[in-house]
Every structure is written in C-alpha cells, then in structure tokens.
Amino acid sequence: MDKATNQRHFSVMINDRIADRLEQFCSTVGLSESAVVEVAINYFFDDPQVINGLMKGYREMASLNREISHDFSCCEEDADVHLTQYRQGLQNFH
C-alpha cells in the first residue's frame, strides 16, 4: 500500500459492535486501526460491484421513499389542519 505524502484527519462515528470488531481484527493481524480502515476504504472504492450495489440500493430506496411520502401526504396534511385548529383554539383560550 502506497503511503500518501499528505495525510488528512477524519472523524467517523461507528457503533460499539463495529468498533469491537475493528479492535479485535487489528489485534489479531497486528495492524493499526488507521491502516485497516485505509485498506477497507480502498477496497470499497476499488470494487465497482460494491459501488454499483450501493447505487442500486439507494435508487430503490429513493423510489420506495417517494411512494411512502406520496401515500402518507394526505395524513400529514390532515394532521397539519388539526394542529392549526388546535393552536388557534389555544390562542382563543388565552
């Protein structure tokens, strides 16, 4: 693996399960967490199947989210009407 001449620092939030797996893996193979993360990131970017799979998944989820939003927009509009009426009732009460 080529060492970059310039290094940049990134903060990434991961859950405890992933952190434990990373720590265990690094301990087992004797590599630093930074080295392992660099390998994983390079693998991710270098594997077009991973990228294509993610893009396909995001497109499918976008379509599903659009359908869900459409199906429930009337509920949201109804809730907004009721909330507006409730707020007006509170204003009239004071």
Side-chain angles (χ1 to χ4, degrees), residues 4 8 12 22 28 30 37 41 44-45 64 68 74-75 77 94:
R8 293 171 48 185
V12 179
L22 177 61
T28 301
V37 169
I41 289 172
F44 170 81
F45 285 124
L64 181 59
I68 291 170
C74 61
C75 296
E77 291 169 5
H94 293 295

Side-chain angles (χ1 to χ4, degrees), residues 6-24:
N6 295 321
Q7 293 185 356
R8 293 171 48 185
H9 178 83
F10 289 89
S11 294
V12 179
M13 299 285 293
I14 57 176
N15 65 37
D16 289 339
R17 186 176 72 73
I18 299 295
D20 291 343
R21 289 181 67 192
L22 177 61
E23 185 178 344
Q24 180 64 38

Side-chain angles (χ1 to χ4, degrees), residues 20-54:
D20 291 343
R21 289 181 67 192
L22 177 61
E23 185 178 344
Q24 180 64 38
F25 182 82
C26 291
S27 174
T28 301
V29 298
L31 291 173
S32 71
E33 290 178 356
S34 293
V36 171
V37 169
E38 184 176 340
V39 168
I41 289 172
N42 280 322
Y43 174 76
F44 170 81
F45 285 124
D46 290 343
D47 188 343
Q49 287 182 321
V50 171
I51 302 293
N52 289 334
L54 286 171

